[in-house]
Amino acid sequence: MLTRFFLMGLDRKAGLVLTVLALLAVLVPVMTLVVPEGSPWHLSIFSVSLLGKYLCFALLALALDLVWGYVGILSLGHAAFFALGGYAMGMYLMRQIGPRGVYGNPILPDFMVFLNWKELPWYWLGFDHFAFAALMVLVVPGVLAFAFGWFAFRSRVTGVYLSIITQALTFALLLAFFRNDMGFGGNNGLTDFKEILGYDIQAPGTRVGLFLATVAALALSYMIASGIIASKLGKVLVAIRDTESRVRFLGYDTESYKLFAWTLSACMAGVAGALYVPQVGIINPSEFAPASSIEAVIWVAVGGRGTLAGAILGAVLVNFGKSYFTGALPELWLFALGGLFVLVTLFLPKGLLGLWAQLTARLPSGKGKGAPNGKTADQKGM
Amino acid sequence: MRRAFRWLLAACVAIATTSAALAADLRPLVQTMGSGGYAGTEKALNQLSEAGDPAAVPVIEALQAGDLYVRKADGLVVIARKAGAGFALTDPLSGAVVGEAASGAIDKIKINNALRRSISATLGALTLMSPDPATRRSAAEAVFKSRDANALDTLNTAIAKEKDERIRRVMEQARAAVILTAGASEGDTQTAIATLTARGDRDALALLSMIAASGATDALKTAAAGAVAAVEQKLMFWGALQNLWYGLSLGSVLLLAAIGLAVTFGVMGVINMAHGEMVMIGAYTTFLVQQGLRTYAPGLTDLSILLALPAAFLVSGGVGVIIERSVIRWLYGRPLETLLATWGLSLALQQAVRSLFGPTNREVSAPSWMSGAFELGGLTITYGRLWIVVFAFAVFAALLVALKRTWFGLSIRAVTQNRPMANAMGIRTARVDALTFGLGSGIAGLAGVALSQIDNVSPNLGQSYIIDSFMVVVFGGVGNLWGTLVGALALGSLNKFLEPYAGAVLGKILVLIFIILFIQRRPRGLFALKGRAVEA
């Protein structure tokens, strides 16, 4: 049953994605750990973490594409779920520091000692166990998304209104996590991690292990998402995206379908955040910023809304571009990103993966003659 | 005109000569202070007191502080303060430098306790009975603060002489404060409690609670306790009113920021995420206008805000028209794509301003007629905030008139209600679209002029308002200007009333949660448009 579910989503594109991920899973460890450092084929630990970061973003984009591309819910607050997952993992990592903090307190993290707290707040209990923290990575974003979605979908808040209140949600969380008395480190957030599951977090082996975990999570999420989309459930979801009222009139309980996809997507975003934190080494409230949610939306739009592979491609490409630009031409990055938003929405409504279909569909009709050239230029500009 | 001017000149000359004459009269009196021991000083002091000239105040203050000396060589009375090995001498009346002297060359004018009492009485008399009302008032306030029992007699005389109702009230309050501190007969104390209850501010509250805790008799204690309750109630009332004012003030800022959005989002249905950047452009235009005036016409700097208003409207509106023509018109009917494209524009605009003007805050100074504050009962109202409230309502009214009473407004409403029909009636819908978007953006520019007065003019200025503005428009109901007004004022007041209990940040979070829950109850806002057309 389960195998059939996973196999159902496996078309040619899915095969390609999984092959690429498998290649990464083999090549990256070999190039980092086996190939000697002087060799041109050697991959530095820094690059591994960078790649891992891109893949975490890809997982976030995948989660977002599931709700935006297939159910039509544009979330401007997915970074909130990402950050909540990240905080759950960060809390586990904080507890692993133990007495090695600056103040040497075996129980309390440094920032609590600094704020003169006497004991661990109740919501920090249990986070010294990895299993509990891992569960919370799924549960916290999931429960928040479920509660939020339950209210929102039931009162039929749709379209732009929904987008704006998701933005309000992440903004409220941003403000909340900036407060010192919340007990999550205020604006410094959680950082200075030492080890994960007993392994030194800085060691190359651990880094590669985290990278492999990210690849595995991404592959699994991809299979789940494509399985859902290929199933009957997926058909209903797409139908809701296209005309929700008609699906409702046909007797489907559209709210429950939406709620399911929404909660699943939030859990995936939480996992992405949890994998992101140990690789980057810090989590702070700025991850909640509405701007980062909207940036995630543009990854999906660039790659191609409504194509899971496109979301992954878009996230990796845009973030690669960001790393390059902010290093080489920091002044230009926001122009490039802003331009990308405009150009993609104007000229690439289906994203890069839709480009081919767009070209072949348009050319024979003779319409919009100069357009294809413009698009190739966009592609290069990325 | 010329005659009036001549009169004015004559009056000035007259005042100048009289004050010079008075100072000349004082000099022999001051000169006698150092002779005849305590009795001589006392006599001179009494004469100074009778002369009633406030010019003598520094002399007496110096005497009180022990800084008044007689130069042995010529018997000149001087103020001497330690400077290096010797003393620096200044003239007590004019404050002019007289010279220096070794400590052996001058004699201190000594004072005893009796003299100290008459000194403070004289000082009180000179200031409390000074011909200048402001001096009298501040002297009375000073006595209220110091609660100096020595001043009581002078205070009584001053109250008897005082003609100005308001100053007499302050003096009576000062007397009440002195009486309560020093203790007096039961009847006097009761009157004093009543007077302080009428004053009803925090200082009065402190004094009254002191009496309530440690009054001489039980009757006094109860009276004081009652007074404390009355004052607390009064303070709470004014506090609530002050909160209401803060709420109105914040609400009008929100209104300013949101009202342009009410046009682009509410009327046209365009999700303009670059709205905040239009506000920012307006603020930077204000900065440029002010800089320009400072360089080329320094005399007009006070008017820069007024000149900036049309400039900001045109610049922001122009940018808006360009954006509509180049990007937004391709995206009508695709709200989510519009959202993304305008977000991209906002990033690019922010970076453009950052590259042009630098990332730091720019200084926009307030004109003189916008600085300062005045008091209304227990309220303190700053002129800057008052003008912003007035301005916000003026903009709102102007927009309402423009939409309801002009041909342009009629075309906007026609296009939003039924585009093909409007087109068929000969309205150039494309041009109306561009102009409407320009109008909304121009109003955002106007908001930028106002916000440059109360916020930092930086590239991030707009971002801090964009979420709030959307909340206001969505809360009030899209497509309804009155909804925007009510939404802005309601959210502003709610925020300010939550702040004292929850703190600024938590208050804001609570407001956001409130809006999220509110939209669940009423997905189309407070004042939703009725009818089937709104069902998307």
Side-chain angles (χ1 to χ4, degrees):
Chain A
M1 173 74 203
L2 206 60
T3 355
R4 215 188 71 194
F5 170 76
F6 280 127
L7 287 178
M8 207 157 52
L10 283 183
D11 53 5
R12 225 174 52 186
K13 215 187 285 168
L16 193 66
V17 171
L18 292 178
T19 316
V20 171
L21 286 178
L23 269 177
L24 274 177
V26 175
L27 281 181
V28 167
V30 171
M31 283 166 76
T32 319
L33 300 176
V34 181
V35 177
E37 248 179 66
S39 152
W41 294 99
H42 176 75
L43 200 63
S44 70
I45 283 298
F46 174 76
S47 317
V48 174
S49 287
L50 202 63
L51 267 178
K53 198 173 101 176
Y54 293 164
L55 292 187
C56 289
F57 287 147
L59 182 50
L60 174 62
L62 185 80
L64 190 61
D65 194 27
L66 185 64
V67 284
W68 185 34
Y70 292 96
V71 199
I73 306 169
L74 174 56
S75 165
L76 297 184
H78 249 56
F81 305 127
F82 181 82
L84 283 174
Y87 263 98
M89 178 56 82
M91 284 159 83
Y92 163 73
L93 294 172
M94 277 317 256
R95 299 287 281 119
Q96 294 306 299
I97 296 176
R100 280 166 295 180
V102 178
Y103 295 106
N105 191 313
I107 308 281
L108 295 185
D110 276 347
F111 69 88
M112 289 189 191
V113 181
F114 185 73
L115 290 173
N116 267 329
W117 289 29
K118 293 291 166 249
E119 56 184 48
L120 213 58
W122 59 268
Y123 45 81
W124 274 74
L125 297 177
F127 275 96
D128 41 345
H129 303 292
F130 181 79
F132 180 78
L135 189 66
M136 284 301 128
V137 163
L138 292 170
V139 167
V140 173
V143 166
L144 177 70
F146 184 83
F148 182 87
W150 196 81
F151 280 116
F153 300 145
R154 231 141 263 268
S155 15
R156 299 195 184 160
V157 182
T158 50
V160 182
Y161 292 89
L162 191 71
S163 305
I164 289 174
I165 61 169
T166 52
Q167 197 178 23
L169 174 78
T170 190
F171 189 57
L173 282 169
L174 168 78
L175 292 176
F177 274 75
F178 263 124
R179 284 160 49 88
N180 270 332
D181 23 343
M182 277 288 284
F184 294 109
N187 56 351
N188 294 325
L190 310 174
T191 186
D192 216 8
F193 308 129
K194 303 283 189 235
E195 58 187 33
I196 180 167
L197 287 170
Y199 299 101
D200 178 9
I201 209 161
Q202 302 292 345
T206 322
R207 292 283 167 137
V208 171
L210 284 168
F211 176 80
L212 290 179
T214 313
V215 172
L218 184 59
L220 184 66
S221 303
Y222 183 87
M223 276 154 67
I224 293 177
S226 57
I228 286 176
I229 286 155
S231 69
K232 256 188 191 162
L233 169 65
K235 299 264 186 295
V236 178
L237 289 179
V238 171
I240 290 175
R241 175 191 72 187
D242 293 340
T243 25
E244 187 175 350
S245 43
R246 192 177 297 181
V247 180
R248 195 182 294 131
F249 298 154
L250 284 172
Y252 287 94
D253 178 11
T254 53
E255 282 90 29
S256 305
Y257 284 94
K258 281 161 85 174
L259 196 54
F260 169 75
W262 173 249
T263 311
L264 179 69
S265 164
C267 291
M268 282 184 186
V271 172
L275 288 164
Y276 172 80
V277 169
Q279 301 191 62
V280 177
I282 184 169
I283 174 88
N284 60 26
S286 64
E287 298 293 336
F288 283 104
S292 33
S293 292
I294 300 186
E295 241 184 273
V297 172
I298 203 62
W299 306 334
V300 178
V302 168
R305 177 191 166 194
T307 52
L308 294 176
I312 296 176
L313 181 70
V316 173
L317 275 182
V318 175
N319 279 297
F320 180 75
K322 184 176 187 172
S323 302
Y324 172 75
F325 266 107
T326 44
L329 304 157
E331 287 263 299
L332 287 183
W333 165 240
L334 279 181
F335 283 124
L337 185 65
L340 200 60
F341 272 95
V342 176
L343 294 176
V344 166
T345 44
L346 282 184
F347 301 112
L348 289 174
K350 289 193 192 316
L352 288 178
L353 284 197
L355 189 61
W356 180 246
Q358 215 178 327
L359 285 182
T360 45
R362 268 212 194 172
L363 274 182
S365 70
K367 256 186 173 179
K369 231 183 165 182
N373 287 334
K375 268 160 227 149
T376 356
D378 297 340
Q379 209 176 353
K380 273 181 197 154
M382 248 148 255
Chain B
M1 181 66 208
R2 182 172 285 180
R3 185 183 285 173
F5 181 72
R6 205 176 287 161
W7 269 109
L8 202 67
L9 201 67
C12 289
V13 169
I15 289 168
T17 41
T18 43
S19 72
L22 274 173
D25 288 347
L26 286 179
R27 194 162 290 286
L29 281 178
V30 169
Q31 218 34 61
T32 59
M33 289 187 96
S35 53
Y38 294 134
T41 312
E42 173 119 39
K43 196 175 151 214
L45 202 56
N46 287 339
Q47 281 169 333
L48 276 178
S49 171
E50 274 160 32
D53 185 348
V57 170
V59 186
I60 303 171
E61 275 172 354
L63 181 65
Q64 190 177 32
D67 285 340
L68 207 60
Y69 287 78
V70 178
R71 187 150 73 182
K72 282 180 182 169
D74 53 1
L76 188 72
V77 173
V78 290
I79 292 177
R81 289 202 172 85
K82 257 218 170 325
F87 287 84
L89 308 184
T90 50
D91 184 85
L93 280 172
S94 65
V97 176
V98 175
E100 285 178 19
S103 57
I106 49 176
D107 262 340
K108 192 181 212 160
I109 302 179
K110 295 191 183 65
I111 51 175
N112 58 10
N113 277 344
L115 210 46
R116 268 191 199 103
R117 260 195 296 282
S118 20
I119 286 174
S120 61
T122 309
L123 267 182
L126 279 181
T127 47
L128 282 170
M129 285 175 249
S130 137
D132 175 29
T135 315
R136 295 204 300 275
R137 196 192 167 108
S138 60
E141 285 289 353
V143 176
F144 183 87
K145 291 253 155 56
S146 69
R147 310 201 286 266
D148 179 6
N150 290 331
L152 194 55
D153 290 336
T154 327
L155 207 49
N156 281 328
T157 330
I159 289 170
K161 273 169 83 179
E162 184 59 60
K163 298 219 168 44
D164 188 327
E165 181 73 28
R166 289 158 72 182
I167 298 178
R168 189 163 64 228
R169 205 180 307 138
V170 179
M171 287 175 172
E172 277 166 358
Q173 286 159 359
R175 181 173 65 181
V178 171
I179 287 175
L180 281 186
T181 322
S185 71
E186 175 116 18
D188 279 355
T189 317
Q190 290 282 13
T191 330
I193 289 176
T195 315
L196 284 186
T197 316
R199 180 181 168 109
D201 63 354
R202 299 220 166 270
D203 294 332
L205 187 67
L207 261 170
L208 287 171
S209 11
M210 193 181 79
I211 297 297
S214 60
T217 63
D218 281 344
L220 274 184
K221 277 187 189 173
T222 20
V228 166
V231 171
E232 270 174 349
Q233 200 174 8
K234 192 171 161 189
L235 281 177
M236 225 170 86
F237 168 74
W238 284 113
L241 221 57
Q242 184 86 54
N243 273 341
L244 201 63
W245 165 251
Y246 286 148
L248 182 66
S249 160
L250 177 66
S252 56
V253 169
L254 290 178
L255 178 64
L256 270 177
I259 194 170
L261 201 66
V263 175
T264 47
F265 180 40
V267 177
M268 297 178 77
V270 170
I271 318 291
N272 184 14
M273 287 306 233
H275 179 75
E277 277 55 48
M278 300 295 149
V279 175
M280 173 196 68
I281 289 174
Y284 271 94
T285 310
T286 317
F287 165 72
L288 282 181
V289 167
Q290 201 169 64
Q291 286 295 307
L293 282 182
R294 212 170 267 164
T295 320
Y296 297 109
L300 293 176
T301 318
D302 242 14
L303 297 176
S304 63
I305 296 284
L306 295 182
L307 292 175
L309 285 178
F313 184 83
L314 290 177
V315 173
S316 290
V319 174
V321 169
I322 294 172
I323 289 177
E324 200 278 343
R325 283 293 88 187
S326 57
V327 176
I328 290 173
R329 70 163 161 156
W330 308 106
L331 297 170
Y332 283 123
R334 290 157 61 195
L336 298 179
E337 274 87 347
T338 318
L339 191 158
L340 294 178
T342 47
W343 178 264
L345 284 172
S346 90
L347 291 181
L349 284 173
Q350 271 177 45
Q351 184 58 44
V353 169
R354 199 172 286 130
S355 304
L356 279 174
F357 295 94
T360 48
N361 293 342
R362 288 294 173 168
E363 170 82 24
V364 173
S365 59
S368 56
W369 45 271
M370 271 183 82
S371 43
F374 66 95
E375 295 208 351
L376 192 79
L379 286 181
T380 312
I381 293 174
T382 53
Y383 283 108
R385 288 284 177 170
L386 183 68
W387 278 114
I388 286 178
V389 173
V390 170
F391 181 64
F393 282 91
V395 170
F396 180 78
L399 180 64
L400 215 55
V401 169
L403 283 182
K404 295 273 152 103
R405 293 271 180 274
T406 64
W407 169 249
F408 174 50
L410 189 65
S411 348
I412 291 178
R413 285 182 293 142
V415 172
T416 38
Q417 278 167 24
N418 194 327
R419 180 176 295 271
M421 192 55 79
N423 218 341
M425 300 300 281
I427 296 173
R428 290 160 72 181
T429 50
R431 215 175 76 174
V432 170
D433 284 336
L435 288 179
T436 315
F437 198 81
L439 176 70
S441 306
I443 292 174
L446 291 181
V449 178
L451 294 183
S452 72
Q453 293 298 310
I454 54 169
D455 208 334
N456 299 325
V457 179
S458 74
N460 301 328
L461 171 74
Q463 278 214 311
S464 42
Y465 288 98
I466 185 73
I467 292 185
D468 286 337
S469 312
F470 269 107
M471 292 304 138
V472 165
V473 175
V474 169
F475 177 70
V478 175
N480 189 325
L481 280 184
W482 289 102
T484 307
L485 176 72
V486 174
L489 295 183
L491 291 184
S493 314
L494 185 66
N495 216 333
K496 286 295 170 187
F497 272 95
L498 282 174
E499 242 171 52
Y501 306 105
V505 180
L506 199 59
K508 199 161 171 141
I509 296 170
L510 290 176
V511 169
L512 283 173
I513 294 173
F514 165 74
I515 295 173
I516 293 176
L517 292 177
F518 179 84
I519 290 179
Q520 322 283 346
R521 297 294 312 155
R522 303 194 61 144
R524 302 277 162 196
L526 211 49
F527 300 95
L529 289 179
K530 300 253 167 12
R532 299 176 59 168
V534 289
E535 290 290 334

